[in-house]
Amino acid sequence: MGIEVKVPTLGESITEATLGQWLKKPGEAVAVDEPVASLETDKVSVEVPSPVAGTFGEAMVAEGDTVNVGAVIATISEGAAGSAPAATSAPAQAPAAPASAASAAPTQGHEITDEQAQALRLSPAVRRAVQESGVDPSALTGSGRDGRLTKEDVQKAAEGKVAQPSAPAPAPVAPASAAPVATGERREERVRMTRLRQTIATRLKEAQNTAALLTTFNDVDMTEVIAARARYKDLFEKKHGIRLGFMGFFVKAAALAARDVPSVNARIEGDEIVYHDYLDVSVAVSAPKGLVVPVIRSADRMSFAEIEGAIAGYGKKAKEGTLTQADMAGGTFTISNGGVFGSLLSTPIINPPQSAVLGMHRIEERPVVRDGQIVARPMMYLALSYDHRLVDGREAVTFLVRIKEAIEDPTRLLIDL
């Protein structure tokens, strides 16, 4: 029978998960604590380690299946086979991967099928990156575990940082007869929603159904912040080892504004309003499987370096898929920066049970009037979505004005104005 691999404890109140991907196949060698599968919970991805060294035996559930905590999902045959290299099964796979990839590569932008993705052992995130970039995955060398392709491998190739072999050049000439078949082909693909995406959909709809959502807008002149960042970014990075970004300024500004308008940093609980004397900022971060919101705790008591360090750390963990449930628990206020994706204006949705979310957008030069003269200034639109049951319109406008004042005159951040 072998040693059983069970679903580990996933965190408080989490009883089940979805098996996202098998990382090992039957017959492959497995080291102790080496991940054999990845699980998707409501918030994060969790890797399941092997309890012993040996050979991967039987996978008892399929990818996409729901599994409970403690359930047996696979077996590991303990013994000498585990110390042998996994080359016994790899050569059988090696020829198949290029062959299947070659048939999919030429004219369809590398829209690979499920079978081809399985042959190349591409994760959903990597598969999406391949489809978006048009990179030929069979022409790349993976930097991940066991030579697997990572999303970063595909992105680097798409940006021209990794030269792809020129061997596939004859391919477009050879399958000339296949081209007409592919040209007019229309495809549909059904992909099961991940547990994270299902949770995002449910929570956002609940927010719309429960809260009295309203959004107010303002714009801010980024001239002074851009100048301060340009003046000190090199010294900042040299001293602290991290880059000085814009988010630190906005977190600091939000902390000052929340002192004047505490309702924005509060929540409704039953028939009571819960006020916080601290600011735990949920920072929206893009991860391969959706938007996640890790929390910078007591951000109002942190320095610029501590804030930027926390953001950089969470960004790295989000890309690697190593964010934990604890990283995203709580939060009293959210900041979402759609500007990094080019957004000009949006109406963000609050993250329950929070009562407000600040939306940042892209910076662009626009004509404005200063001292009677029309001049170009780097401007950004700000949006504050809030629960009107708790936050009045006057308070929402005041909060945004306080942020605008602090960003346009960063000295206020130093003297608590």
Side-chain angles (χ1 to χ4, degrees):
M1 177 66 180
I3 305 299
E4 295 179 338
V5 180
K6 297 182 179 181
V7 177
T9 301
L10 301 172
E12 185 179 356
S13 76
I14 300 179
T15 59
E16 63 179 24
T18 300
L19 199 144
Q21 182 183 12
W22 284 111
L23 304 178
K24 287 291 182 178
K25 293 183 179 181
E28 288 189 336
V30 181
V32 63
D33 291 332
E34 183 179 5
V36 298
S38 65
L39 302 175
E40 297 172 358
T41 71
D42 291 350
K43 290 289 187 181
V44 294
S45 294
V46 179
E47 292 185 334
V48 181
S50 172
V52 295
T55 303
F56 190 84
E58 179 184 3
M60 297 182 173
V61 296
E63 293 181 354
D65 285 355
T66 298
V67 292
N68 295 320
V69 171
V72 178
I73 59 173
T75 59
I76 303 293
S77 299
E78 191 176 12
S83 60
T88 53
S89 60
Q93 297 282 343
S100 59
S103 63
T107 59
Q108 288 298 316
H110 304 294
E111 295 183 2
I112 56 179
T113 65
D114 291 338
E115 291 79 5
Q116 292 158 352
Q118 183 66 24
L120 289 170
R121 303 176 71 183
L122 304 183
S123 69
V126 175
R127 183 180 179 184
R128 183 182 305 167
V130 167
Q131 292 173 333
E132 291 176 351
S133 65
V135 170
D136 182 359
S138 66
L140 302 180
T141 300
S143 63
R145 185 183 294 111
D146 297 331
R148 291 188 180 90
L149 282 180
T150 66
K151 184 179 179 182
E152 287 70 26
D153 294 333
V154 177
Q155 290 174 336
K156 288 180 180 178
E159 294 168 2
K161 296 179 181 178
V162 177
Q164 299 188 50
S166 56
V173 179
S177 59
V181 178
T183 301
E185 191 172 357
R186 289 159 55 89
R187 296 182 180 182
E188 288 185 356
E189 181 183 12
R190 291 181 182 270
V191 179
R192 184 172 180 173
M193 291 176 68
T194 64
R195 183 171 292 270
L196 174 60
R197 176 53 59 185
Q198 292 178 43
T199 301
I200 291 172
T202 300
R203 286 177 61 82
L204 292 181
K205 189 57 184 173
E206 285 177 353
Q208 286 184 320
N209 293 341
T210 303
L213 291 178
L214 190 62
T215 304
T216 187
F217 304 94
N218 212 321
D219 61 359
V220 58
D221 187 338
M222 296 290 291
T223 300
E224 294 301 323
V225 165
I226 291 174
R229 182 171 177 266
R231 189 179 304 122
Y232 298 113
K233 66 178 181 178
D234 292 338
L235 289 174
F236 187 89
E237 186 169 1
K238 183 177 180 181
K239 180 175 181 178
H240 301 291
I242 51 177
R243 295 179 59 192
L244 176 61
F246 293 120
M247 186 62 81
F249 289 93
F250 280 93
V251 171
K252 281 286 193 182
L256 285 180
R259 293 179 189 176
D260 292 343
V261 189
S263 61
V264 171
N265 189 40
R267 73 179 191 272
I268 292 177
E269 196 169 282
D271 58 356
E272 297 178 330
I273 298 174
V274 181
Y275 292 95
H276 309 100
D277 67 348
Y278 53 88
L279 182 73
D280 286 353
V281 178
S282 301
V283 180
V285 175
S286 180
K289 297 180 181 178
L291 198 68
V292 292
V293 279
V295 180
I296 304 174
R297 305 188 191 284
S298 298
D300 54 319
R301 300 179 177 92
M302 297 174 72
S303 67
F304 272 91
E306 290 171 332
I307 292 171
E308 294 293 351
I311 294 171
Y314 281 142
K316 184 174 184 292
K317 292 177 73 173
K319 289 180 180 178
E320 295 173 347
T322 58
L323 284 170
T324 66
Q325 196 77 18
D327 290 333
M328 291 179 284
T332 62
F333 180 75
T334 294
I335 299 179
S336 177
N337 185 6
V340 296
F341 304 110
S343 173
L344 175 66
L345 194 61
S346 68
T347 55
I349 299 178
I350 64 173
N351 180 24
Q354 298 173 20
S355 295
V357 53
L358 176 68
M360 299 166 55
H361 302 89
R362 75 171 185 251
I363 302 170
E364 65 176 8
E365 284 201 338
R366 291 199 294 269
V368 295
V369 178
R370 296 287 185 267
D371 299 324
Q373 301 293 319
I374 298 177
V375 294
R377 287 288 187 269
M379 304 296 294
M380 175 193 289
Y381 286 119
L382 299 178
L384 182 76
S385 291
Y386 57 97
D387 188 346
H388 210 348
R389 297 178 302 166
L390 173 59
V391 183
D392 292 334
R394 175 183 60 83
E395 294 174 315
V397 171
T398 300
F399 184 86
L400 268 189
V401 169
R402 293 289 179 271
I403 289 181
K404 176 183 174 71
E405 291 172 344
I407 296 299
E408 293 185 343
D409 182 9
T411 304
R412 289 173 175 267
L413 300 175
L414 300 177
I415 57 178
D416 292 343
L417 285 180

